Amino acid sequence: MQQSAGPANKPRRDFVSMLLGVWGVLTVVPFLNIVLRYVTPPKLNVVTKESIRVAAVEDIPPNSAKIVRFNKEPIIVVHTTSGQYKAFFARCTHLGCVVKFETEGTPRFHCNCHGSEFDLTGRNLSGPAPTPLRPLKVSVQEAAVIVSSIEA
Amino acid sequence: MGSRIFAWLDQRMPLSSIRGYFSKKTVPRHRFTFWYYFGGLTLFFFILQVITGILLALYYKPTPEQAHESIRLIVNEVPYGWLIRSLHSWSANFMIACVFIHMFSVFLLKAYRKPRELMWITGVLLLSLSLGFGFTGYLLPWDTMAYFATLIGTEVPKTLPLIGDWGVSLLKGEEEVGAETLTRMYSIHIIVLPLITLITVSFHLAFNQIFGSSVPIGTKVQGLPIPFFPNFMYRDFIAWCTGFAALICLSTLFPLGLGEKADPLASAPFGIKPEWYFLPLYQSLKIAPATILSISGEFFINLLVVLGSLMWFIIPFVDRRASREQRSTPFSVLGIILILYIVVTIVLAYTTE
């Protein structure tokens, strides 16, 4: 049967267009949601360690530091000239570069990316870093330097 | 022979009418005609990017274990691999330089005014896409510089409200810059951005075909307009060949180096800098104090960049005087200040530590 596109059919056509429009939206929007969820990285259940053995005591002589990975995050452990051990999350609080232990002059942490400096208590001294480095608890057990996830 | 092929094709597709349509297009002749070449040059460098990019993709492997080694292979073992890679990098720089020259000349000549508003908007979109290409491509060699520049770059938008954190996780694919980040950057670089760019370029060129090039307000046209086909195209061709020769020379004399393979555990090396076209942002973040007007300096700069970019998109609608064919000096001044800011910050970023 031939359908004419005349004015008599207009309400019918409008109705069909509306129906298809709603169908289209109902198809696209849920799928868009699926795509958005897909591209958002999943939170993986990674086993987190309570503590880590960083190195043997003799591997970190006074006035030096060592960077290791602890639960995916780089941490920096420093042996001060006064014989203390200190540990911090090594990411600069500005934009996340790994800081460096600087021994020239007053021992301190220096970020090469934008020049932020932190003293050995982690306090931000200069540069754009907005907050101190986050400290970690460090101890010496059986001639090894141990860092635990408790924030000191 | 040629005319017979044309006749054969003409019976099967509307070749004559297409040719007729293109032959109507002309380019106005006046003292600023020179600046018209930079759009075409950008297109040429983009085509080169596509060709060299496809060639690089034949050997490149987007995983942290293999990426650096595959680039080393391209540079050292593959015949002319060093040239293809250098061309890709030099052409990228040339393309972005041309995008900037094209954009600021269009801005200062007020060519964005009615009826070319959509040309401007697609153009600004193309600028964003070009910067996206630069950013996503930078990580791919997986050397120290690439790694840390991307680490900082993906950290910058974090302070933005609502979408900041989510946007960054979308780019990184995991908390740290790692394998997920590399595959994401790669697929954005070679699939997502080229596709969007192709569509946007098509619209940009179609608008250009429909409206032609604008004559700046109050500029005297000198003599007859230049027919686009073939006269202006021949001129374009000369610019393209000159550009290609320059690229080959630079790629040969200054081939792109490859740094050490990235070590995520190492302290950031000294002198991490992004590509030159991100230096204005880099330098602004660097000189910003920790707090401005009681909000963090970083957030302040980011906010300024986001609002500024949105403003840049809708410039044709803000500059109402230009659309009435009247001079709009404040916008010319704004353009010149922006150019100066970009140049000064780039120079500062190169000359200061």
Side-chain angles (χ1 to χ4, degrees):
Chain A
M1 192 177 71
Q2 278 277 306
Q3 293 265 330
S4 72
N9 269 324
K10 191 160 183 306
R12 226 162 145 165
R13 191 142 291 203
D14 286 350
F15 178 71
V16 172
S17 305
M18 198 234 354
L19 216 59
L20 290 180
V22 170
W23 193 7
V25 170
L26 287 180
T27 310
V28 171
V29 171
F31 187 66
L32 212 63
N33 175 45
I34 291 171
V35 172
L36 281 181
R37 298 277 281 269
Y38 180 89
V39 296
T40 309
K43 290 261 177 292
L44 296 177
N45 254 335
V46 194
V47 183
T48 52
K49 280 190 238 162
E50 297 266 297
S51 63
I52 185 181
R53 180 185 180 277
V54 175
V57 172
E58 63 266 26
D59 288 344
I60 314 177
N63 208 23
S64 74
K66 191 173 162 83
I67 299 171
V68 290
R69 192 170 284 266
F70 179 38
N71 292 332
K72 291 196 85 178
E73 288 258 14
I75 61 167
I76 188 162
V77 180
V78 57
H79 190 176
T80 63
T81 38
S82 56
Q84 280 181 302
Y85 289 95
K86 301 204 178 236
F88 300 93
F89 285 104
R91 293 214 177 280
C92 175
T93 52
H94 178 222
L95 292 175
C97 288
V98 177
V99 297
K100 202 173 123 206
F101 180 59
E102 194 66 67
T103 48
E104 258 176 60
T106 319
R108 66 204 183 279
F109 299 110
H110 180 86
C111 178
N112 275 339
C113 291
H114 303 90
S116 292
E117 301 223 315
F118 306 85
D119 67 14
L120 292 190
T121 65
R123 198 159 54 93
N124 45 323
L125 297 174
S126 63
T131 50
L133 293 175
R134 276 157 60 212
L136 287 151
K137 203 177 166 196
V138 60
S139 59
V140 177
Q141 290 166 26
E142 293 165 7
V145 181
I146 311 287
V147 169
S148 61
S149 57
I150 308 157
E151 299 202 9
Chain B
M1 186 63 191
S3 60
R4 277 178 60 196
I5 294 173
F6 185 86
W8 189 90
L9 284 172
D10 198 27
Q11 286 166 356
R12 286 157 185 87
M13 49 197 235
L15 270 192
S16 297
S17 35
I18 293 173
R19 193 167 66 169
Y21 185 70
F22 277 96
S23 66
K24 274 189 219 124
K25 189 184 168 187
T26 57
V27 177
R29 199 191 299 260
H30 51 74
R31 63 197 178 101
F32 299 116
T33 301
F34 170 76
W35 298 100
Y36 291 152
Y37 295 108
F38 287 94
L41 261 177
T42 309
L43 179 64
F44 171 67
F45 292 129
F46 177 69
I47 294 168
L48 259 184
Q49 286 308 90
V50 174
I51 297 169
T52 51
I54 291 171
L55 292 175
L56 289 173
L58 297 182
Y59 289 100
Y60 177 73
K61 298 179 187 72
T63 68
E65 292 75 34
Q66 292 174 297
H68 189 266
E69 177 57 23
S70 66
I71 299 279
R72 206 199 56 76
L73 182 95
I74 291 171
V75 173
N76 292 338
E77 310 291 337
V78 179
Y80 292 106
W82 61 273
L83 182 63
I84 299 296
R85 174 164 180 254
S86 283
L87 274 177
H88 195 70
S89 142
W90 273 111
S91 175
N93 283 307
F94 271 43
M95 183 179 120
I96 293 192
C98 284
V99 168
F100 273 107
I101 297 172
H102 182 50
M103 182 181 74
F104 277 113
S105 62
V106 163
F107 185 85
L108 291 175
L109 298 175
K110 313 283 160 59
Y112 50 71
R113 68 193 190 277
K114 193 182 162 196
R116 295 181 180 80
E117 296 98 327
L118 293 177
M119 235 160 128
W120 171 262
I121 290 172
T122 49
V124 178
L125 192 60
L126 286 168
L127 167 77
S128 330
L129 289 164
S130 307
L131 295 178
F133 271 116
F135 184 71
T136 52
Y138 201 54
L139 179 67
L140 304 187
W142 202 254
D143 59 7
T144 309
M145 192 64 139
Y147 178 84
F148 281 102
T150 304
L151 192 123
I152 300 169
T154 49
E155 204 73 15
V156 170
K158 255 194 179 165
T159 54
L160 290 174
L162 300 175
I163 49 156
D165 266 330
W166 182 71
V168 168
S169 72
L170 215 61
L171 266 180
K172 280 190 181 174
E174 58 188 331
E175 275 173 38
E176 307 258 308
V177 172
E180 304 289 339
T181 319
L182 186 54
T183 42
R184 276 179 190 229
M185 292 289 181
Y186 186 57
S187 55
I188 294 172
H189 190 76
I190 72 160
I191 301 169
V192 181
L193 293 178
L195 212 79
I196 304 175
T197 305
L198 212 63
I199 296 168
T200 316
V201 166
S202 310
F203 275 99
H204 196 67
L205 293 180
F207 291 136
N208 181 256
Q209 186 59 40
I210 296 165
F211 296 113
S213 305
S214 101
V215 178
I217 300 164
T219 303
K220 237 192 247 146
V221 175
Q222 303 158 342
L224 288 173
I226 311 164
F228 182 76
F229 183 81
N231 304 40
F232 196 78
M233 261 183 123
Y234 283 178
R235 291 167 180 238
D236 262 341
F237 184 74
I238 293 169
W240 293 19
C241 287
T242 312
F244 190 62
L247 276 182
I248 294 279
C249 287
L250 286 167
S251 302
T252 313
L253 295 173
F254 308 100
L256 181 64
L258 178 65
E260 292 280 307
K261 185 176 171 178
D263 174 8
L265 266 192
S267 298
F270 195 70
I272 292 286
K273 280 194 183 99
E275 289 279 54
W276 61 268
Y277 38 86
F278 288 121
L279 287 179
L281 178 61
Y282 165 91
Q283 192 65 20
S284 308
L285 283 171
K286 200 171 158 185
I287 55 182
T291 52
I292 301 173
L293 306 170
S294 75
I295 54 174
S296 101
E298 208 186 317
F299 177 67
F300 183 83
I301 300 283
N302 282 339
L303 201 68
L304 214 64
V305 170
V306 170
L307 293 180
S309 311
L310 290 177
M311 176 81 171
W312 200 241
F313 265 101
I314 57 164
I315 275 288
F317 307 102
V318 184
D319 185 4
R320 305 286 281 273
R321 288 178 61 87
S323 281
R324 291 195 300 260
E325 297 291 316
Q326 293 165 335
R327 283 180 190 280
S328 53
T329 321
F331 287 87
S332 308
V333 174
L334 173 74
I336 289 164
I337 290 175
L338 264 173
I339 294 171
L340 284 178
Y341 186 77
I342 289 172
V343 172
V344 168
T345 44
I346 289 178
V347 170
L348 273 179
Y350 273 117
T351 51
T352 57
E353 279 189 353

